[in-house]
Structures are given as structure tokens and as C-alpha cells.
Amino acid sequence: MSKRILITGASSGIGKGIAEYLAKTHSVTISDWDASRLETARSDMAVKGCEVNTQVLDVTQGDHLEQLKHLADSEGIDVLVNNAGMQHVSKIEDFPPEKWQQLMNIMLTGPAMTTRAVLPAMKKNNYGRIINIGSVHSLVASAYKSAYVSAKHGLIGLAKTVALEVASSDITINTLCPGYVDTDMVRSQIKQQAELHHISESEVVEKIMLKNMPKKEFIAVEELAGTVGFLIGPYAKNITAQAIALDGGWTAH
Ligand code: NDP
């Protein structure tokens, strides 16, 4: 059955890819904080025959969260994908405090507040699926990524807590934990790292990016989209509070 799905941070990368996949069978709203990038994403998708709605939503802004609540209460949101994210790499001693706070606001407080906004409507409909896009960094750490790792670990605690609070309804909340995903952003990082270290792009992929991924391949956006598709389907209604790793074996180390 067609579901009403809202995805945050969906004008590029993983969020956009998940939207394209799910829009084949569901009613999808892509949201992001930048209205013009959001419109560009919508028209890119329309060219491919993929129709989606848009909603400007900065997950750190109270008035935007109020509008999200209004949308959920008035039109219904069955599935929320908390995808918006940002990275900043720095030693903890040098980490700008405002940058640390910004990452936490976007990737931990943001998902908590979007969840808060949509849950009353989900409870009223006795159906809801909340899917956080965490990371392998929800489960393990890498140096110099303290804010990202802390926020992504926090998502698992958030999901466990909310899962207990909504257990009497047909609402679940889970966190996908991907290793490196094949997105434009990762591709451009490969290029930058190759220039920085004076090595080839294939060496960057093999020696740096996929070093911790025993299966030695990037996760495809479609693998994440397909997992979201499974979690919103009929056989996953008792899967809740889980961290689901799509990490090519990273966490087996
Ligand atoms: P992108 O940068 O392409 O997507 C993230 C989106 O979130 C961007 O459009 C970004 O906008 C948006 N965003 C940032 N801040 C806000 C905000 N306050 N409100 C709403 N939207 C916002 O990256 P990816 O597609 O790679 O990442 C998507 C998610 O997947 C993130 O949570 C990331 O941590 C996670 N992830 C990614 C992996 C990867 O290898 N790519 C691996 C594991 C997890 P803008 O660009 O303008 O900042």
C-alpha cells in the first residue's frame, strides 16, 4: 500500500536516492533547508519521470518543525526518514565549539525534534515507521570525527527510547548504519584525497576509503533504499530499536 513518506536532507546524495527509489510506489516529500537546491532536486527527478513533493525544512529551526507538525497533523506522514547530515573533521582540542553544536543539532537533536513533530499523527493513525540514517559511526569511531560519531551513536539511544515509548502502536524506529556509500560527495572526497596524498584515485579507494570494509566495495544508495523499503513493509513490523549495519563487514573487526 502506498505510504506518505518525508525524507530530510533529500536534495542530494542518499536522501535523494532513497526518494527516487520509493517514489515509484509511494507518495514522497523531499525536504531540505535550502529551497533552491530542493527545487533543483525536484526538477531533476521530474525529468526522470519521478514526481515528488517538496517541503523546506531546516531540522534545527523551531518554526520549520512546527510546519512539519502541521503537515503531519493535516495530511499525515506514515514514514519519516531522518537523513540530514554534515561532517566536520578536527582534533577535539581544535574543534570549533559552534561547529560541534551544529553537528549535534542537525544529526541528533534534529531527528529527535522531527520525531517529536510527526509522532502524534502517527499515533492517531496507529501506523508509523521512523528510519534514521545513522552510520557505521553509530557503532564504531574514527579519530577526528568526535561530533559526528557522538551524534550518530546518540541516534541509537534515541531510537531505543522512542521504540519503548511507542511500543503499544504499530510504530517502529530503526537506525541504518552504512559504511561509505557511493555518492557524489564521496566521489569528490576521493578526488580531493588523491590530490592531497599524490596517489591515484583507485589507491585512495583501496587504501583509505575501503580499508575498513572487508567486502571492498562502496554501499550503493539502492541498498539503503531497498532496506528502507523492507522496513516500511509488512514483514518488518516487529523490527524496532535496531541498528542495522550495511557496512561490508566493517564492524566484524
Ligand atoms: P549529503 O551532504 O549529500 O546530504 C545531506 C543533506 O542534508 C544535504 O542536502 C544537506 O544540505 C542537508 N542538511 C544539512 N543540514 C541540514 C539541516 N539543518 N536541515 C535539513 N537539511 C540539512 O550527504 P549524504 O547523502 O552522503 O548523507 C546523508 C546521510 O547519510 C547523512 O546523515 C550522513 O551522515 C549519512 N551517511 C553518509 C555516508 C556516506 O558515505 N555518504 C555514510 C554513512 C552515513 P547542505 O549540502 O546544503 O549542507
Side-chain angles (χ1 to χ4, degrees):
M1 211 178 79
S2 175
K3 305 276 193 291
R4 295 158 298 185
I5 299 173
L6 184 132
I7 307 172
T8 70
S11 47
S12 61
I14 293 171
K16 190 177 176 206
I18 292 175
E20 284 177 2
Y21 176 88
L22 294 177
K24 292 175 197 153
T25 38
H26 300 282
S27 166
V28 173
T29 299
I30 56 169
S31 72
D32 212 301
W33 59 358
D34 183 322
S36 70
R37 285 187 66 226
L38 194 56
E39 179 48 29
T40 306
R42 190 204 59 75
S43 61
D44 280 357
M45 290 188 199
V47 169
K48 296 186 205 162
C50 169
E51 295 297 337
V52 294
N53 305 310
T54 57
Q55 171 84 18
V56 174
L57 170 61
D58 180 334
V59 300
T60 68
Q61 293 296 321
D63 53 336
H64 290 202
L65 291 159
E66 272 304 312
Q67 286 161 18
L68 174 65
K69 179 169 167 41
H70 179 71
L71 180 73
D73 290 343
S74 58
E75 296 179 27
I77 292 176
D78 302 311
V79 177
L80 168 68
V81 181
N82 281 316
N83 167 76
M86 176 183 271
Q87 180 60 279
H88 186 82
V89 179
S90 168
K91 287 201 281 194
I92 185 74
E93 306 95 292
D94 300 334
F95 220 111
E98 61 288 353
K99 188 51 88 178
W100 215 92
Q101 194 59 55
Q102 185 188 22
L103 264 67
M104 296 301 280
N105 288 347
I106 296 170
M107 290 185 293
L108 181 56
T109 308
M113 293 302 109
T114 55
T115 298
R116 178 180 182 274
V118 302
L119 264 184
M122 287 181 173
K123 282 185 176 168
K124 204 164 156 211
N125 295 334
N126 190 35
Y127 179 87
R129 299 286 178 265
I130 300 168
I131 297 160
N132 300 321
I133 306 301
S135 163
V136 69
H137 286 117
S138 298
L139 303 166
V140 294
S142 291
Y144 313 121
K145 295 184 177 175
S146 59
Y148 187 86
V149 170
S150 301
K152 293 294 191 185
H153 271 64
L155 279 179
I156 293 181
L158 170 69
K160 286 180 180 172
T161 309
V162 174
L164 295 178
E165 293 181 19
V166 299
S168 60
S169 321
D170 183 11
I171 300 174
T172 66
I173 174 164
N174 291 288
T175 306
L176 303 191
C177 302
Y180 281 112
V181 181
D182 191 2
T183 58
D184 291 346
M185 190 187 72
V186 166
R187 291 279 152 199
S188 74
Q189 276 179 23
I190 294 169
K191 219 173 156 49
Q192 285 165 11
Q193 298 256 9
E195 281 162 19
L196 188 71
H197 299 289
H198 304 291
I199 55 177
S200 69
E201 290 188 19
S202 60
E203 280 177 300
V204 172
V205 169
E206 198 187 318
K207 294 188 178 153
I208 301 176
M209 315 278 292
L210 299 180
K211 190 170 126 255
N212 292 319
M213 293 171 72
K215 288 183 75 68
K216 299 291 172 211
E217 56 180 290
F218 288 113
I219 309 303
V221 173
E222 291 73 16
E223 293 172 57
L224 291 170
T227 308
V228 172
F230 171 70
L231 287 173
I232 69 177
Y235 303 117
K237 67 181 183 152
N238 282 303
I239 300 177
T240 193
Q242 298 305 306
I244 300 171
L246 295 89
D247 67 357
W250 186 323
T251 47
H253 283 123

